[in-house]
């Protein structure tokens, strides 16, 4: 087991390259299964979830090669349709393999996915939409057995909530289905557009991604293509929070300001200066932080739930009272008790968190319980007096490539040690 030892109160200064987006790379890897021949994905982050996705592709009969930040997948004739239970449990996003395997092989057997504990994470919308497309799905002892006796056909689906995973699964199943699929109330996240961009590069016919209605006209086959994964907007938001918490100036190479339209104004309200220049986004914080008006997490283009924890960590030392309302997941305040150990003054009730900015945070022994909450503790540690020992690093490693090296290069003191 490893821990991060963070000595706080050092201003950050320097350039950081924003890694490729985990939440885009994973569905793209699933999508590779649908394309004949070779697909090459550049800018894949080096994360355990990416390795798990490659292992799933291997189990399904694909050849998969990982070199630096490039993953090459050959999916000429996938021969499997079962994803082993231990791989399904490793990450929540393994559920996107359902749409891809069904689309390519016509049957699929997998267990319910694992992932971070953010509250109940049902997949009813995924399954309902696939059923409308002709899939027969039986749930038995935690295993989903899916067949398509007549093949998959296009269908019209209106999602009751713009679920990212359900939208991805429907797109993956629809690209090779017979006829036209229409997804209404579709997720509009940039990662959806990245998936559509890759699939179009493979020969798929998709329109409307980025809007609430996506139309997919099934084709008979897809071919592999070369594609570059988009930069990770949540890693960019985390680095903005780090600069806000510690003070200083960071240049975030590759960060796309357009993907951060709901996030940037919150940091500006805190007193940060943020501006894009060339291929980078500059974040400067020189004055003390101020509290902000209520931040409500919403589906894109609203404020992202994945940036809620890191923003809270920066607000923990901002002058005044801030309020956050978490509308996407039921249990996404698990970092709060740990922040309180560091001197933060935060109360939660249901969806609402009230943050009374504390004049000081103190280094403490804290434990990450999930990915973004873990990153938030690292952000708070950068602003805290003294040394923080942060355990549960394996959660942080699921979404951040070498976080300690990135922060250290910008002037922070972060060491990875054995627990
Ligand atoms: C994706 O999860 C991301 N994961 C999450 O990132 C992110 O927090 C989330 O979208 C919201 O932006 C990946 O892309 C791998 P949803 P996903 O389906 O697809 C409910 C991170 O930290 N729902 O949009 O699972 C669900 O319970 C992670 O990187 C149903 O009720 O999210 C939740 O309340 C964590 N039924 C809401 O919708 C369903 O069938 C949003 O979930 C599906 C979802």
């Amino acid at each position: 087991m490893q821990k991060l030892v963070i000595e706080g109160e050092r201003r950050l200064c320097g350039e950081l390259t924003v890694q490729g987006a985990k939440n885009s790379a994973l569905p793209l890897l699933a999508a590779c299964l649908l394309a004949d021949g070779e697909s090459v994905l550049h800018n894949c982050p080096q994360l355990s979830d990416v390795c798990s996705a490659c292992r799933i592709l291997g189990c399904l009969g694909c050849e998969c090669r990982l070199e630096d930040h490039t993953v090459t997948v050959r999916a000429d004739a996938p021969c499997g349709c079962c994803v082993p239970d231990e791989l399904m449990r490793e990450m929540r996003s393994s559920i996107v393999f359902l749409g891809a395997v069904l689309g390519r092989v016509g049957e699929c057997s997998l267990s319910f996915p694992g992932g971070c504990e953010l509250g109940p994470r049902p997949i009813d919308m995924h399954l309902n939409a696939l059923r409308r497309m002709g899939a027969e799905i039986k749930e038995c002892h935690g295993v989903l057995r899916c067949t398509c006796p007549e093949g998959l056909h296009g269908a019209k689906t209106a999602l009751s909530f713009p679920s990212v995973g359900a939208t991805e699964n429907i797109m993956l199943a629809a690209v090779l289905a017979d006829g036209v699929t229409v997804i209404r109330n579709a997720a509009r996240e940039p990662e959806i557009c990245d998936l559509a961009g890759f699939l179009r590069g493979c020969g798929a016919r998709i329109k409307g991604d980025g809007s609430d209605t996506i139309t997919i006209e099934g084709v008979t086959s897809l071919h592999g293509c070369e594609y570059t994964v988009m930069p990770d907007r949540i890693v960019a938001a985390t680095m903005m929070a780090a600069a806000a918490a510690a003070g200083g100036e960071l240049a975030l190479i590759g960060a796309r300001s357009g993907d951060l339209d709901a996030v940037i104004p919150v940091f500006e309200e805190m007193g940060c200066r943020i501006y894009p220049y060339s291929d980078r986004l500059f974040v400067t914080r020189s004055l003390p932080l101020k509290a902000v008006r209520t931040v409500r997490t919403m589906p894109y283009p609203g404020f992202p739930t994945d940036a809620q924890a890191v923003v809270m960590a920066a607000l923990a030392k901002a002058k005044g009272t801030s309020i956050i309302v978490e509308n996407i997941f039921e249990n996404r305040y698990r970092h709060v008790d740990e922040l309180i150990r560091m001197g933060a003054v935060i109360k939660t009730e249901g969806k609402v968190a009230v943050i009374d900015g504390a004049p000081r945070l103190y280094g403490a022994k804290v434990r990450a319980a999930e990915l973004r909450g873990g990153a938030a503790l690292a952000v708070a540690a950068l602003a805290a007096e003294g040394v923080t020992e942060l355990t549960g690093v394996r959660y942080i490693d699921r979404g951040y490539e070498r976080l300690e090296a990135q922060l250290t290069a910008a002037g922070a003191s972060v060491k990875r040690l054995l627990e």
Side-chain angles (χ1 to χ4, degrees):
M1 300 286 232
Q2 298 178 331
K3 63 181 175 187
L4 295 181
V5 177
I6 303 171
E7 215 182 301
E9 292 197 301
R10 294 184 181 216
R11 290 175 77 76
L12 300 183
C13 186
E15 297 182 341
L16 301 177
T17 299
V18 176
Q19 70 190 50
K22 165 184 83 83
N23 289 346
S24 184
L26 298 173
L28 290 185
L29 284 163
C32 289
L33 186 72
L34 292 161
D36 289 324
E38 195 170 88
S39 296
V40 182
L41 296 181
H42 300 292
N43 202 30
C44 278
Q46 290 180 334
L47 300 170
S48 55
D49 280 6
V50 168
C51 297
S52 302
C54 290
R55 295 220 301 283
I56 292 177
L57 285 168
C59 287
L60 295 169
C62 303
E63 273 174 41
C64 203
R65 211 170 58 243
L66 255 149
E67 272 165 311
D68 193 23
H69 289 90
T70 297
V71 180
T72 307
V73 182
R74 269 207 92 83
D76 285 318
C79 49
C81 62
C82 302
V83 180
D85 184 58
E86 67 272 17
L87 288 177
M88 283 304 291
R89 281 174 189 277
E90 270 179 31
M91 55 171 186
R92 158 85 195 178
S93 46
S94 47
I95 193 65
V96 286
F97 279 90
L98 174 57
V101 177
L102 265 187
R104 182 77 197 253
V105 187
E107 57 178 316
C108 181
S109 169
L110 41 75
S111 48
F112 279 88
C116 288
E117 294 294 325
L118 307 176
R121 296 184 74 179
I123 52 168
D124 53 309
M125 287 188 245
H126 305 231
L127 302 186
N128 289 343
L130 294 172
R131 284 189 174 111
R132 289 174 72 85
M133 297 175 70
E136 285 184 5
I137 304 176
K138 293 199 178 101
E139 301 168 48
C140 185
H141 304 295
V143 178
L144 291 169
R145 291 190 204 289
C146 315
T147 51
C148 310
E150 319 256 316
L152 282 180
H153 54 77
K156 285 187 178 159
T157 295
L159 296 177
S160 54
F161 182 90
S163 155
V164 175
T167 304
E168 289 166 349
N169 247 332
I170 301 167
M171 288 167 71
L172 290 165
V175 283
L176 290 177
D178 190 17
V180 176
T181 297
V182 180
I183 314 171
R184 294 202 190 279
N185 199 23
R188 298 162 64 183
E189 270 69 2
E191 292 77 10
I192 298 287
C193 299
D194 222 27
L195 176 61
F198 170 74
L199 287 168
R200 273 194 291 266
C202 295
R205 296 203 185 129
I206 303 175
K207 284 195 294 206
D209 47 294
S211 79
D212 62 2
T213 304
I214 301 178
T215 306
I216 302 141
E217 197 185 323
V219 295
T220 47
S221 66
L222 295 175
H223 52 79
C225 81
E226 205 164 334
Y227 195 79
T228 300
V229 176
M230 64 176 273
D232 195 312
R233 64 197 169 99
I234 305 302
V235 169
T238 303
M239 295 308 172
M240 288 162 78
E249 181 175 63
L250 287 182
L252 306 179
I253 302 171
R256 301 196 310 209
S257 58
D259 294 345
L260 293 158
D261 274 348
V263 174
I264 290 173
V266 175
F267 284 105
E268 286 176 336
E269 205 179 329
M270 277 188 228
C272 300
R273 196 167 155 247
I274 297 173
Y275 57 96
Y277 180 74
S278 177
D279 64 340
R280 53 203 68 188
L281 192 65
F282 286 85
V283 188
T284 311
R285 200 276 281 173
S286 44
L287 299 170
L289 289 176
K290 296 176 292 190
V292 297
R293 279 168 295 176
T294 307
V295 175
R296 292 184 173 80
T297 66
M298 305 284 264
Y300 193 87
F303 187 92
T305 171
D306 293 347
Q308 174 258 109
V310 295
V311 163
M312 183 189 286
L315 287 171
K317 245 180 91 173
K319 189 169 166 26
T321 301
S322 307
I323 293 177
I324 293 181
V325 184
E326 170 55 58
N327 289 310
I328 307 296
F329 291 110
E330 274 178 31
N331 191 15
R332 214 162 194 191
Y333 285 141
R334 298 177 71 196
H335 47 284
V336 167
D337 284 346
E338 303 299 292
L339 288 174
I340 290 172
R341 281 181 174 231
M342 300 175 74
V345 183
I346 304 173
K347 288 197 183 71
T348 59
E349 191 165 326
K351 294 173 161 198
V352 179
V354 179
I355 304 127
D356 281 319
R360 289 195 175 75
L361 295 179
Y362 303 96
K365 291 191 176 180
V366 290
R367 178 170 287 275
E370 48 90 17
L371 165 58
R372 307 297 172 191
L377 299 176
V379 167
L382 297 173
E385 277 179 36
V387 176
T388 296
E389 286 188 24
L390 170 53
T391 51
V393 180
R394 67 177 197 285
Y395 293 111
I396 300 175
D397 289 340
R398 291 181 63 169
Y400 297 86
E401 191 179 316
R402 299 182 310 116
L403 182 66
E404 72 282 12
Q406 288 269 44
L407 292 171
T408 305
S413 166
V414 187
K415 292 195 184 76
R416 184 183 285 259
L417 302 175
L418 286 176
E419 248 184 74

